[in-house]
PDB file of all heavy atoms in Angstrom:
ATOM      1  N   LEU A   1       4.687  13.293  17.175  1.00 97.00           N
ATOM      2  CA  LEU A   1       4.498  11.840  17.052  1.00 97.00           C
ATOM      3  C   LEU A   1       5.599  11.072  17.813  1.00 97.00           C
ATOM      4  O   LEU A   1       5.330  10.062  18.423  1.00 97.00           O
ATOM      5  CB  LEU A   1       4.478  11.403  15.599  1.00 97.00           C
ATOM      6  CG  LEU A   1       3.183  11.715  14.824  1.00 97.00           C
ATOM      7  CD1 LEU A   1       3.407  11.565  13.328  1.00 97.00           C
ATOM      8  CD2 LEU A   1       2.065  10.822  15.298  1.00 97.00           C
ATOM      9  N   ALA A   2       6.794  11.574  17.713  1.00 96.00           N
ATOM     10  CA  ALA A   2       7.939  10.888  18.347  1.00 96.00           C
ATOM     11  C   ALA A   2       7.752  10.773  19.864  1.00 96.00           C
ATOM     12  O   ALA A   2       8.255   9.826  20.476  1.00 96.00           O
ATOM     13  CB  ALA A   2       9.229  11.605  18.003  1.00 96.00           C
ATOM     14  N   LEU A   3       7.009  11.703  20.424  1.00 95.00           N
ATOM     15  CA  LEU A   3       6.788  11.686  21.880  1.00 95.00           C
ATOM     16  C   LEU A   3       5.720  10.672  22.288  1.00 95.00           C
ATOM     17  O   LEU A   3       5.547  10.382  23.456  1.00 95.00           O
ATOM     18  CB  LEU A   3       6.375  13.066  22.374  1.00 95.00           C
ATOM     19  CG  LEU A   3       7.401  14.205  22.123  1.00 95.00           C
ATOM     20  CD1 LEU A   3       6.824  15.541  22.494  1.00 95.00           C
ATOM     21  CD2 LEU A   3       8.683  13.934  22.921  1.00 95.00           C
ATOM     22  N   CYS A   4       4.974  10.140  21.296  1.00 95.00           N
ATOM     23  CA  CYS A   4       3.854   9.233  21.608  1.00 95.00           C
ATOM     24  C   CYS A   4       4.256   7.759  21.663  1.00 95.00           C
ATOM     25  O   CYS A   4       3.532   6.943  22.201  1.00 95.00           O
ATOM     26  CB  CYS A   4       2.771   9.346  20.535  1.00 95.00           C
ATOM     27  SG  CYS A   4       2.086  11.015  20.379  1.00 95.00           S
ATOM     28  N   ASP A   5       5.393   7.437  21.032  1.00 94.00           N
ATOM     29  CA  ASP A   5       5.669   6.033  20.807  1.00 94.00           C
ATOM     30  C   ASP A   5       7.201   5.839  20.668  1.00 94.00           C
ATOM     31  O   ASP A   5       7.827   6.555  19.879  1.00 94.00           O
ATOM     32  CB  ASP A   5       4.942   5.602  19.553  1.00 94.00           C
ATOM     33  CG  ASP A   5       5.199   4.150  19.126  1.00 94.00           C
ATOM     34  OD1 ASP A   5       6.279   3.870  18.566  1.00 94.00           O
ATOM     35  OD2 ASP A   5       4.282   3.326  19.331  1.00 94.00           O
ATOM     36  N   GLU A   6       7.744   4.874  21.399  1.00 94.00           N
ATOM     37  CA  GLU A   6       9.218   4.694  21.377  1.00 94.00           C
ATOM     38  C   GLU A   6       9.738   4.345  19.991  1.00 94.00           C
ATOM     39  O   GLU A   6      10.805   4.843  19.575  1.00 94.00           O
ATOM     40  CB  GLU A   6       9.612   3.584  22.351  1.00 94.00           C
ATOM     41  CG  GLU A   6       9.646   4.054  23.767  1.00 94.00           C
ATOM     42  CD  GLU A   6       9.905   2.891  24.752  1.00 94.00           C
ATOM     43  OE1 GLU A   6      10.683   1.991  24.438  1.00 94.00           O
ATOM     44  OE2 GLU A   6       9.283   2.914  25.819  1.00 94.00           O
ATOM     45  N   ASN A   7       8.990   3.494  19.269  1.00 94.00           N
ATOM     46  CA  ASN A   7       9.442   3.118  17.889  1.00 94.00           C
ATOM     47  C   ASN A   7       9.528   4.343  17.011  1.00 94.00           C
ATOM     48  O   ASN A   7      10.426   4.472  16.172  1.00 94.00           O
ATOM     49  CB  ASN A   7       8.485   2.112  17.261  1.00 94.00           C
ATOM     50  CG  ASN A   7       8.461   0.783  18.019  1.00 94.00           C
ATOM     51  OD1 ASN A   7       9.269   0.592  18.940  1.00 94.00           O
ATOM     52  ND2 ASN A   7       7.509  -0.050  17.694  1.00 94.00           N
ATOM     53  N   LEU A   8       8.554   5.265  17.180  1.00 96.00           N
ATOM     54  CA  LEU A   8       8.562   6.477  16.336  1.00 96.00           C
ATOM     55  C   LEU A   8       9.736   7.348  16.727  1.00 96.00           C
ATOM     56  O   LEU A   8      10.355   7.990  15.867  1.00 96.00           O
ATOM     57  CB  LEU A   8       7.240   7.225  16.507  1.00 96.00           C
ATOM     58  CG  LEU A   8       5.970   6.501  15.972  1.00 96.00           C
ATOM     59  CD1 LEU A   8       4.741   7.377  16.135  1.00 96.00           C
ATOM     60  CD2 LEU A   8       6.132   6.112  14.493  1.00 96.00           C
ATOM     61  N   MET A   9      10.024   7.404  18.019  1.00 96.00           N
ATOM     62  CA  MET A   9      11.173   8.200  18.492  1.00 96.00           C
ATOM     63  C   MET A   9      12.462   7.660  17.870  1.00 96.00           C
ATOM     64  O   MET A   9      13.292   8.405  17.340  1.00 96.00           O
ATOM     65  CB  MET A   9      11.244   8.102  20.023  1.00 96.00           C
ATOM     66  CG  MET A   9      12.437   8.857  20.643  1.00 96.00           C
ATOM     67  SD  MET A   9      12.333  10.663  20.402  1.00 96.00           S
ATOM     68  CE  MET A   9      11.317  11.142  21.817  1.00 96.00           C
ATOM     69  N   ASP A  10      12.624   6.298  17.874  1.00 96.00           N
ATOM     70  CA  ASP A  10      13.798   5.673  17.271  1.00 96.00           C
ATOM     71  C   ASP A  10      13.886   6.008  15.778  1.00 96.00           C
ATOM     72  O   ASP A  10      14.972   6.323  15.253  1.00 96.00           O
ATOM     73  CB  ASP A  10      13.762   4.159  17.468  1.00 96.00           C
ATOM     74  CG  ASP A  10      13.875   3.779  18.913  1.00 96.00           C
ATOM     75  OD1 ASP A  10      14.284   4.650  19.735  1.00 96.00           O
ATOM     76  OD2 ASP A  10      13.563   2.605  19.293  1.00 96.00           O
ATOM     77  N   ARG A  11      12.735   5.898  15.076  1.00 95.00           N
ATOM     78  CA  ARG A  11      12.731   6.209  13.631  1.00 95.00           C
ATOM     79  C   ARG A  11      13.125   7.637  13.364  1.00 95.00           C
ATOM     80  O   ARG A  11      13.856   7.940  12.437  1.00 95.00           O
ATOM     81  CB  ARG A  11      11.326   5.950  13.029  1.00 95.00           C
ATOM     82  CG  ARG A  11      10.931   4.528  12.889  1.00 95.00           C
ATOM     83  CD  ARG A  11      11.751   3.749  11.912  1.00 95.00           C
ATOM     84  NE  ARG A  11      11.691   4.282  10.557  1.00 95.00           N
ATOM     85  CZ  ARG A  11      12.663   4.130   9.634  1.00 95.00           C
ATOM     86  NH1 ARG A  11      13.760   3.464   9.943  1.00 95.00           N
ATOM     87  NH2 ARG A  11      12.534   4.653   8.445  1.00 95.00           N
ATOM     88  N   MET A  12      12.656   8.549  14.204  1.00 95.00           N
ATOM     89  CA  MET A  12      12.957   9.979  14.033  1.00 95.00           C
ATOM     90  C   MET A  12      14.489  10.191  14.218  1.00 95.00           C
ATOM     91  O   MET A  12      15.099  10.912  13.451  1.00 95.00           O
ATOM     92  CB  MET A  12      12.206  10.835  15.055  1.00 95.00           C
ATOM     93  CG  MET A  12      10.873  11.310  14.584  1.00 95.00           C
ATOM     94  SD  MET A  12      10.955  12.423  13.151  1.00 95.00           S
ATOM     95  CE  MET A  12      11.311  13.991  13.932  1.00 95.00           C
ATOM     96  N   LEU A  13      15.037   9.550  15.241  1.00 95.00           N
ATOM     97  CA  LEU A  13      16.479   9.727  15.511  1.00 95.00           C
ATOM     98  C   LEU A  13      17.308   9.115  14.356  1.00 95.00           C
ATOM     99  O   LEU A  13      18.328   9.697  13.977  1.00 95.00           O
ATOM    100  CB  LEU A  13      16.859   9.067  16.836  1.00 95.00           C
ATOM    101  CG  LEU A  13      16.201   9.701  18.079  1.00 95.00           C
ATOM    102  CD1 LEU A  13      16.464   8.899  19.332  1.00 95.00           C
ATOM    103  CD2 LEU A  13      16.698  11.146  18.269  1.00 95.00           C
ATOM    104  N   ASP A  14      16.822   8.037  13.786  1.00 95.00           N
ATOM    105  CA  ASP A  14      17.533   7.411  12.666  1.00 95.00           C
ATOM    106  C   ASP A  14      17.365   8.164  11.363  1.00 95.00           C
ATOM    107  O   ASP A  14      18.332   8.491  10.681  1.00 95.00           O
ATOM    108  CB  ASP A  14      17.029   5.958  12.397  1.00 95.00           C
ATOM    109  CG  ASP A  14      17.427   5.019  13.519  1.00 95.00           C
ATOM    110  OD1 ASP A  14      18.279   5.433  14.334  1.00 95.00           O
ATOM    111  OD2 ASP A  14      16.902   3.902  13.583  1.00 95.00           O
ATOM    112  N   ALA A  15      16.088   8.436  10.999  1.00 94.00           N
ATOM    113  CA  ALA A  15      15.790   8.906   9.641  1.00 94.00           C
ATOM    114  C   ALA A  15      15.520  10.417   9.582  1.00 94.00           C
ATOM    115  O   ALA A  15      15.529  10.987   8.502  1.00 94.00           O
ATOM    116  CB  ALA A  15      14.606   8.107   9.084  1.00 94.00           C
ATOM    117  N   GLY A  16      15.191  11.016  10.720  1.00 92.00           N
ATOM    118  CA  GLY A  16      14.928  12.443  10.695  1.00 92.00           C
ATOM    119  C   GLY A  16      13.495  12.781  10.314  1.00 92.00           C
ATOM    120  O   GLY A  16      13.061  13.893  10.510  1.00 92.00           O
ATOM    121  N   GLN A  17      12.784  11.815   9.745  1.00 93.00           N
ATOM    122  CA  GLN A  17      11.337  12.038   9.491  1.00 93.00           C
ATOM    123  C   GLN A  17      10.607  10.685   9.449  1.00 93.00           C
ATOM    124  O   GLN A  17      11.237   9.645   9.383  1.00 93.00           O
ATOM    125  CB  GLN A  17      11.114  12.831   8.200  1.00 93.00           C
ATOM    126  CG  GLN A  17      11.593  12.144   6.957  1.00 93.00           C
ATOM    127  CD  GLN A  17      11.166  12.955   5.720  1.00 93.00           C
ATOM    128  OE1 GLN A  17      10.616  14.029   5.835  1.00 93.00           O
ATOM    129  NE2 GLN A  17      11.367  12.404   4.550  1.00 93.00           N
ATOM    130  N   LEU A  18       9.303  10.765   9.513  1.00 96.00           N
ATOM    131  CA  LEU A  18       8.494   9.531   9.590  1.00 96.00           C
ATOM    132  C   LEU A  18       7.745   9.263   8.332  1.00 96.00           C
ATOM    133  O   LEU A  18       7.254  10.181   7.666  1.00 96.00           O
ATOM    134  CB  LEU A  18       7.506   9.653  10.764  1.00 96.00           C
ATOM    135  CG  LEU A  18       8.143   9.840  12.158  1.00 96.00           C
ATOM    136  CD1 LEU A  18       7.090  10.171  13.210  1.00 96.00           C
ATOM    137  CD2 LEU A  18       8.925   8.591  12.578  1.00 96.00           C
ATOM    138  N   GLN A  19       7.621   7.984   7.996  1.00 95.00           N
ATOM    139  CA  GLN A  19       6.854   7.534   6.820  1.00 95.00           C
ATOM    140  C   GLN A  19       5.497   6.985   7.256  1.00 95.00           C
ATOM    141  O   GLN A  19       5.331   6.605   8.434  1.00 95.00           O
ATOM    142  CB  GLN A  19       7.599   6.454   6.043  1.00 95.00           C
ATOM    143  CG  GLN A  19       9.034   6.756   5.701  1.00 95.00           C
ATOM    144  CD  GLN A  19       9.154   7.932   4.752  1.00 95.00           C
ATOM    145  OE1 GLN A  19       8.257   8.164   3.938  1.00 95.00           O
ATOM    146  NE2 GLN A  19      10.235   8.686   4.849  1.00 95.00           N
ATOM    147  N   ASP A  20       4.550   6.874   6.324  1.00 96.00           N
ATOM    148  CA  ASP A  20       3.233   6.288   6.634  1.00 96.00           C
ATOM    149  C   ASP A  20       3.411   4.914   7.287  1.00 96.00           C
ATOM    150  O   ASP A  20       2.709   4.576   8.222  1.00 96.00           O
ATOM    151  CB  ASP A  20       2.381   6.115   5.352  1.00 96.00           C
ATOM    152  CG  ASP A  20       1.926   7.457   4.808  1.00 96.00           C
ATOM    153  OD1 ASP A  20       2.339   8.508   5.388  1.00 96.00           O
ATOM    154  OD2 ASP A  20       1.197   7.468   3.809  1.00 96.00           O
ATOM    155  N   ALA A  21       4.351   4.112   6.754  1.00 96.00           N
ATOM    156  CA  ALA A  21       4.531   2.742   7.256  1.00 96.00           C
ATOM    157  C   ALA A  21       4.946   2.723   8.741  1.00 96.00           C
ATOM    158  O   ALA A  21       4.688   1.778   9.445  1.00 96.00           O
ATOM    159  CB  ALA A  21       5.580   2.022   6.407  1.00 96.00           C
ATOM    160  N   ASP A  22       5.575   3.803   9.177  1.00 96.00           N
ATOM    161  CA  ASP A  22       5.940   3.904  10.620  1.00 96.00           C
ATOM    162  C   ASP A  22       4.737   4.189  11.461  1.00 96.00           C
ATOM    163  O   ASP A  22       4.625   3.728  12.614  1.00 96.00           O
ATOM    164  CB  ASP A  22       6.970   5.027  10.854  1.00 96.00           C
ATOM    165  CG  ASP A  22       8.217   4.899  10.002  1.00 96.00           C
ATOM    166  OD1 ASP A  22       8.677   3.761   9.827  1.00 96.00           O
ATOM    167  OD2 ASP A  22       8.724   5.927   9.489  1.00 96.00           O
ATOM    168  N   LEU A  23       3.791   4.987  10.906  1.00 97.00           N
ATOM    169  CA  LEU A  23       2.648   5.455  11.696  1.00 97.00           C
ATOM    170  C   LEU A  23       1.541   4.429  11.836  1.00 97.00           C
ATOM    171  O   LEU A  23       0.864   4.383  12.843  1.00 97.00           O
ATOM    172  CB  LEU A  23       2.052   6.715  11.054  1.00 97.00           C
ATOM    173  CG  LEU A  23       3.023   7.875  10.800  1.00 97.00           C
ATOM    174  CD1 LEU A  23       2.274   9.085  10.308  1.00 97.00           C
ATOM    175  CD2 LEU A  23       3.754   8.216  12.116  1.00 97.00           C
ATOM    176  N   ILE A  24       1.398   3.583  10.785  1.00 97.00           N
ATOM    177  CA  ILE A  24       0.249   2.619  10.787  1.00 97.00           C
ATOM    178  C   ILE A  24       0.233   1.734  12.032  1.00 97.00           C
ATOM    179  O   ILE A  24      -0.788   1.676  12.710  1.00 97.00           O
ATOM    180  CB  ILE A  24       0.257   1.780   9.458  1.00 97.00           C
ATOM    181  CG1 ILE A  24      -0.151   2.722   8.305  1.00 97.00           C
ATOM    182  CG2 ILE A  24      -0.713   0.617   9.541  1.00 97.00           C
ATOM    183  CD1 ILE A  24       0.072   2.138   6.912  1.00 97.00           C
ATOM    184  N   PRO A  25       1.378   1.105  12.429  1.00 96.00           N
ATOM    185  CA  PRO A  25       1.326   0.275  13.641  1.00 96.00           C
ATOM    186  C   PRO A  25       1.083   1.092  14.918  1.00 96.00           C
ATOM    187  O   PRO A  25       0.409   0.634  15.825  1.00 96.00           O
ATOM    188  CB  PRO A  25       2.686  -0.433  13.694  1.00 96.00           C
ATOM    189  CG  PRO A  25       3.477   0.069  12.544  1.00 96.00           C
ATOM    190  CD  PRO A  25       2.651   0.988  11.706  1.00 96.00           C
ATOM    191  N   ALA A  26       1.630   2.311  14.993  1.00 96.00           N
ATOM    192  CA  ALA A  26       1.446   3.122  16.197  1.00 96.00           C
ATOM    193  C   ALA A  26      -0.007   3.515  16.381  1.00 96.00           C
ATOM    194  O   ALA A  26      -0.539   3.578  17.481  1.00 96.00           O
ATOM    195  CB  ALA A  26       2.324   4.359  16.139  1.00 96.00           C
ATOM    196  N   ILE A  27      -0.700   3.784  15.245  1.00 97.00           N
ATOM    197  CA  ILE A  27      -2.119   4.136  15.305  1.00 97.00           C
ATOM    198  C   ILE A  27      -2.934   2.900  15.675  1.00 97.00           C
ATOM    199  O   ILE A  27      -3.828   2.953  16.519  1.00 97.00           O
ATOM    200  CB  ILE A  27      -2.578   4.739  13.950  1.00 97.00           C
ATOM    201  CG1 ILE A  27      -1.891   6.087  13.742  1.00 97.00           C
ATOM    202  CG2 ILE A  27      -4.100   4.885  13.894  1.00 97.00           C
ATOM    203  CD1 ILE A  27      -2.015   6.639  12.305  1.00 97.00           C
ATOM    204  N   ALA A  28      -2.603   1.756  15.039  1.00 97.00           N
ATOM    205  CA  ALA A  28      -3.322   0.514  15.323  1.00 97.00           C
ATOM    206  C   ALA A  28      -3.205   0.087  16.802  1.00 97.00           C
ATOM    207  O   ALA A  28      -4.111  -0.499  17.356  1.00 97.00           O
ATOM    208  CB  ALA A  28      -2.818  -0.618  14.407  1.00 97.00           C
ATOM    209  N   ARG A  29      -2.054   0.454  17.402  1.00 96.00           N
ATOM    210  CA  ARG A  29      -1.849   0.086  18.820  1.00 96.00           C
ATOM    211  C   ARG A  29      -2.431   1.110  19.785  1.00 96.00           C
ATOM    212  O   ARG A  29      -2.234   1.040  20.991  1.00 96.00           O
ATOM    213  CB  ARG A  29      -0.352  -0.058  19.093  1.00 96.00           C
ATOM    214  CG  ARG A  29       0.242  -1.367  18.591  1.00 96.00           C
ATOM    215  CD  ARG A  29       1.533  -1.701  19.292  1.00 96.00           C
ATOM    216  NE  ARG A  29       2.571  -0.733  19.010  1.00 96.00           N
ATOM    217  CZ  ARG A  29       3.462  -0.873  18.003  1.00 96.00           C
ATOM    218  NH1 ARG A  29       3.405  -1.918  17.208  1.00 96.00           N
ATOM    219  NH2 ARG A  29       4.364   0.052  17.807  1.00 96.00           N
ATOM    220  N   ARG A  30      -3.078   2.165  19.197  1.00 96.00           N
ATOM    221  CA  ARG A  30      -3.658   3.241  20.004  1.00 96.00           C
ATOM    222  C   ARG A  30      -2.605   4.043  20.797  1.00 96.00           C
ATOM    223  O   ARG A  30      -2.862   4.498  21.891  1.00 96.00           O
ATOM    224  CB  ARG A  30      -4.750   2.700  20.969  1.00 96.00           C
ATOM    225  CG  ARG A  30      -6.017   2.260  20.261  1.00 96.00           C
ATOM    226  CD  ARG A  30      -7.088   1.746  21.228  1.00 96.00           C
ATOM    227  NE  ARG A  30      -7.267   2.598  22.398  1.00 96.00           N
ATOM    228  CZ  ARG A  30      -8.099   3.646  22.457  1.00 96.00           C
ATOM    229  NH1 ARG A  30      -8.842   3.973  21.434  1.00 96.00           N
ATOM    230  NH2 ARG A  30      -8.170   4.359  23.548  1.00 96.00           N
ATOM    231  N   HIS A  31      -1.403   4.192  20.204  1.00 96.00           N
ATOM    232  CA  HIS A  31      -0.412   5.086  20.811  1.00 96.00           C
ATOM    233  C   HIS A  31      -0.582   6.481  20.233  1.00 96.00           C
ATOM    234  O   HIS A  31      -0.160   7.449  20.848  1.00 96.00           O
ATOM    235  CB  HIS A  31       1.022   4.585  20.541  1.00 96.00           C
ATOM    236  CG  HIS A  31       1.310   3.307  21.276  1.00 96.00           C
ATOM    237  ND1 HIS A  31       2.547   2.692  21.184  1.00 96.00           N
ATOM    238  CD2 HIS A  31       0.560   2.512  22.069  1.00 96.00           C
ATOM    239  CE1 HIS A  31       2.520   1.560  21.926  1.00 96.00           C
ATOM    240  NE2 HIS A  31       1.334   1.454  22.459  1.00 96.00           N
ATOM    241  N   VAL A  32      -1.146   6.535  19.019  1.00 97.00           N
ATOM    242  CA  VAL A  32      -1.320   7.822  18.319  1.00 97.00           C
ATOM    243  C   VAL A  32      -2.764   7.956  17.866  1.00 97.00           C
ATOM    244  O   VAL A  32      -3.349   6.981  17.347  1.00 97.00           O
ATOM    245  CB  VAL A  32      -0.399   7.884  17.079  1.00 97.00           C
ATOM    246  CG1 VAL A  32      -0.723   9.093  16.217  1.00 97.00           C
ATOM    247  CG2 VAL A  32       1.079   7.913  17.494  1.00 97.00           C
ATOM    248  N   PHE A  33      -3.333   9.142  18.073  1.00 97.00           N
ATOM    249  CA  PHE A  33      -4.693   9.452  17.595  1.00 97.00           C
ATOM    250  C   PHE A  33      -4.654  10.654  16.672  1.00 97.00           C
ATOM    251  O   PHE A  33      -4.565  11.788  17.132  1.00 97.00           O
ATOM    252  CB  PHE A  33      -5.613   9.723  18.799  1.00 97.00           C
ATOM    253  CG  PHE A  33      -5.585   8.616  19.813  1.00 97.00           C
ATOM    254  CD1 PHE A  33      -4.908   8.779  21.015  1.00 97.00           C
ATOM    255  CD2 PHE A  33      -6.204   7.387  19.551  1.00 97.00           C
ATOM    256  CE1 PHE A  33      -4.860   7.740  21.946  1.00 97.00           C
ATOM    257  CE2 PHE A  33      -6.151   6.339  20.458  1.00 97.00           C
ATOM    258  CZ  PHE A  33      -5.482   6.534  21.665  1.00 97.00           C
TER     259      PHE A  33
END
């Protein structure tokens, strides 16, 4: 997921894992399927 979207990459670097709240906007923007 981190490779699909810059915001997700930043979240991964900060938090080490992703939450649902991080994924919802990336999916809505069609960066992640």
Side-chain angles (χ1 to χ4, degrees):
L1 284 166
L3 299 173
C4 300
D5 177 283
E6 280 173 39
N7 297 350
L8 295 182
M9 178 66 85
D10 295 344
R11 287 294 300 153
M12 270 297 277
L13 295 172
D14 290 349
Q17 62 173 7
L18 299 171
Q19 308 296 331
D20 290 2
D22 304 321
L23 304 187
I24 290 168
I27 293 167
R29 284 201 295 268
R30 290 181 45 89
H31 292 182
V32 170
F33 306 105

